[in-house]
Amino acid sequence: MRYRVEVHVDAHTRLKAMAEDVLRGLSERPRSLPPKYFYDAVGSRLFDEITRLPEYYLTRAEDALLDTLAPALMHTLGPRDVVELGSGFSLKTRRLLDARGGGPLRYTPVDVDETTVAASAERLLAQDPGLEVHAVVGDFERHLVHVPAPSGRRLVLFLGSTIGNLDAPARQALLGQVRGLLRRGDRLLLGVDLVKDPSVLEAAYNDAAGVTAQFNRNILHVVNRSLGADFRPEAFRHHAWYNAAESRIEMHLVPEAPQTVRVRSLDLTVRLEPTESIWTESSYKFTRASARAMLEATGLRLDAWHTDGRFALAVAAPMSRAAARAPRAIA
Ligand code: AVJ
């Protein structure tokens, strides 16, 4: 059997977690909804469309960097075990796996959507006789403990600027777990978007065709359907801006007029005012220095940095125990 799957989330547990998240987010000030709820079938399709927009440079920039880097990375590292967090359709993975030039390799995609994981695995396996897939269906912030013991030299992939959705404490928690998956000689390949001219960043999240606005409003359709809410998505304005002090794009939904929303499953009624937006996403931007500091805080060392000036792929290695204990002596 070249395909194994472990499922650590079920529909009921996911719905319960969503109910808690939405209750907390809508009760707090500022009001917020977690960005992981953008991605139902419609949201995933809209995001896919975003990746092809002229203003959204991130995906193209990362793909080009991966194409350039893949052969050298795969040959010098020679991984036998690839773990990918938030693997989705594993589109970028193909590029990396192909670059190894055959040979046995176990791929462990970690993603919440079993259907997507299974379809992607089937496609990869059909084209790659040396491949074995051990999928972990779950939330990468909670279920990394279920990643199997390494089958050899390991490469962990966390691509696409997905880390940008996490605030500093959540990033530290996640990278700490990733550190735990690595042994000497193993590597993490991390895709981060870079701090740059705010007009370029803001254009990427305010495309002319309005796809990002639709993607943003889709989270309200998801909450309506899943929790029996009656948001009127079309009555919200998409607002995305670069918060330079925090190095992040913030996406918000602003009610055009006062709106009373009922969330049946939560037995919750909220009154929304145009002065109070719902904060739906943060997308953090990094510099080489801030990425390095983030890695070092969790016992990872920045081993290589590949960039086109807009986006970067960081290669990180686990620090030795002694180096992780000692504060950095020389900057
Ligand atoms: C998938 C989280 C990397 O933050 O750029 C795209 C999501 N939001 N346009 C990002 C997104 C609005 C995207 N990530």
Side-chain angles (χ1 to χ4, degrees), residues 35 38-39 46-47 50-51 53 56 58-59 92 159-166 191 193 204-207 211-213 215-216 238 240 249 251 281-285 311:
F38 283 127
Y39 302 94
L46 288 169
F47 177 67
I50 287 174
T51 65
L53 292 169
Y56 195 80
L58 288 79
T59 311
K92 303 157 190 201
L159 298 172
S161 177
T162 305
I163 196 168
N165 272 172
L166 307 179
D193 193 21
Y205 293 83
N206 288 285
D207 63 283
V211 183
T212 309
F215 173 76
N216 196 3
H238 165 71
I249 285 282
M251 284 210 321
E281 185 173 48
S282 292
S283 192
Y284 284 87
K285 308 302 170 187
F311 196 93

Side-chain angles (χ1 to χ4, degrees), residues 284-321:
Y284 284 87
K285 308 302 170 187
F286 296 87
T287 61
R288 187 179 189 281
S290 70
R292 179 178 171 194
M294 161 175 82
L295 291 164
E296 288 183 354
T298 53
L300 292 162
R301 158 175 74 74
L302 181 60
D303 184 46
W305 178 257
H306 304 272
T307 180
D308 65 351
R310 300 181 297 173
F311 196 93
L313 286 173
V315 181
M319 286 180 187
S320 68
R321 289 183 189 286

Side-chain angles (χ1 to χ4, degrees), residues 9 22 26 51 84 102 123 162 194-195 232 242 251 258 280 283 295:
V9 284
V22 170
L26 292 181
T51 65
E84 181 169 22
R123 187 175 38 89
T162 305
L194 301 180
V195 169
R232 285 184 291 112
Y242 184 59
M251 284 210 321
T280 51
S283 192
L295 291 164

Side-chain angles (χ1 to χ4, degrees), residues 75-299:
H75 286 111
T76 51
L77 187 61
R80 286 286 165 264
D81 181 303
V82 172
V83 178
E84 181 169 22
L85 315 190
S87 48
F89 297 103
S90 302
L91 292 176
K92 303 157 190 201
T93 322
R94 161 101 277 144
R95 289 183 151 80
L96 276 163
L97 299 186
D98 282 352
R100 86 183 188 280
L105 187 141
R106 187 184 68 197
Y107 174 53
T108 299
V110 182
D111 199 281
V112 285
D113 186 11
E114 185 176 4
T115 315
T116 306
V117 163
S120 309
E122 193 179 337
R123 187 175 38 89
L124 290 171
L125 288 165
Q127 297 162 10
D128 191 335
L131 194 68
E132 202 183 298
V133 177
H134 185 149
V136 174
V137 175
D139 180 338
F140 59 66
E141 290 190 81
R142 294 172 49 209
H143 299 114
L144 287 190
V145 289
H146 301 294
V147 169
S151 61
R153 176 72 54 81
R154 173 173 273 173
L155 174 64
V156 174
L157 306 175
F158 193 26
L159 298 172
S161 177
T162 305
I163 196 168
N165 272 172
L166 307 179
D167 63 12
R171 294 197 293 265
Q172 293 310 318
L174 181 69
L175 289 175
Q177 293 228 32
V178 169
R179 169 68 185 84
L181 295 176
L182 303 175
R183 302 187 303 189
R184 187 148 39 108
D186 295 346
R187 293 291 183 271
L188 162 68
L189 184 64
L190 178 69
V192 292
D193 193 21
L194 301 180
V195 169
K196 61 182 63 64
D197 186 331
S199 66
V200 175
L201 287 169
E202 288 182 348
Y205 293 83
N206 288 285
D207 63 283
V211 183
T212 309
Q214 275 190 66
F215 173 76
N216 196 3
R217 289 188 196 102
N218 185 59
I219 201 167
L220 300 180
H221 288 289
V222 172
V223 175
N224 281 352
R225 182 168 19 85
S226 309
L227 300 176
D230 62 0
F231 281 103
R232 285 184 291 112
E234 298 323 308
F236 288 79
R237 186 170 56 81
H238 165 71
H239 178 55
W241 67 291
Y242 184 59
N243 182 336
E246 302 288 345
S247 303
R248 68 186 179 215
I249 285 282
E250 290 187 14
M251 284 210 321
H252 295 259
L253 287 165
V254 189
E256 304 269 21
Q259 185 174 142
T260 301
V261 177
R262 172 93 190 126
V263 189
R264 212 187 325 116
S265 306
L266 301 177
D267 197 16
L268 175 77
T269 304
V270 278
R271 175 86 179 153
L272 299 169
E273 300 290 339
T275 49
E276 283 183 323
S277 63
I278 303 175
W279 187 0
T280 51
E281 185 173 48
S282 292
S283 192
Y284 284 87
K285 308 302 170 187
F286 296 87
T287 61
R288 187 179 189 281
S290 70
R292 179 178 171 194
M294 161 175 82
L295 291 164
E296 288 183 354
T298 53

